[in-house]
Amino acid sequence: DSINATESGAIYLLEGPLSEHASINEDDATLSLDAHDAVVVSDMDYAYLGYSPTTGDFDGDGAIDLVVGAPTKTTYGCNVNTQSCLGRVYLLFGPLQGTVYVEDADLTWVGEGVYSQTGAAIVKGHFDDDNLLDFAFAAPEDDAGPGGHNGGAVYFVFGSTL
């Protein structure tokens, strides 16, 4: 879905149960999201926001936060000078309501190499021993690591650092 830009993507957030917010039309297998609690959008053309959205309480405040990727793997309109092809990972601290622009995220990680696809995959878990929720994100074509050209990288973000 693209609300504000060409192929920018969007994430619709619904507080459960799903039946209270959306209706499924069985005739054409569509899902209506008109009654969403929040929608996260991007103003960047070809951002492809919405890769591997992951939720959890990453900052330990009791509210559900959102981590989402926008790998921007495209050559359409890319401009290396504005880092539009590097990919990004966004962390938005909850609670989220209404329309939220991902460019206003609380924290943003930008890919280290052109076409790195940063944010193509995101996972959450407990990667250290502090009992705070952590997450990791992939940059499958990152050039910055020891693997060299398109060697890829995985970056870990520990809850204790937020």
Side-chain angles (χ1 to χ4, degrees), residues 73-140:
K73 172 102 168 90
T74 181
T75 57
Y76 301 116
C78 285
N79 182 335
V80 177
N81 295 326
T82 61
Q83 301 179 339
S84 64
C85 300
L86 303 178
R88 290 170 174 75
V89 171
Y90 300 99
L91 172 59
L92 299 108
F93 293 130
L96 301 173
Q97 293 291 320
T99 300
V100 178
Y101 288 87
V102 76
E103 288 80 11
D104 296 328
D106 295 286
L107 293 169
T108 302
W109 290 265
V110 178
E112 293 189 24
V114 175
Y115 306 110
S116 66
Q117 296 185 51
T118 299
I122 302 169
V123 296
K124 66 181 174 183
H126 295 281
F127 303 126
D128 55 10
D129 58 2
D130 66 2
N131 291 325
L132 293 173
L133 191 58
D134 311 308
F135 64 92
F137 59 89

Side-chain angles (χ1 to χ4, degrees), residues 34-70:
D34 294 334
H36 55 272
D37 293 298
V39 60
V40 179
V41 297
S42 175
D43 279 336
M44 180 186 295
D45 287 342
Y46 305 102
Y48 296 108
L49 175 68
Y51 275 72
S52 290
T54 302
T55 59
D57 183 11
F58 297 104
D59 59 355
D61 68 354
I64 298 299
D65 309 314
L66 173 68
V67 179
V68 62

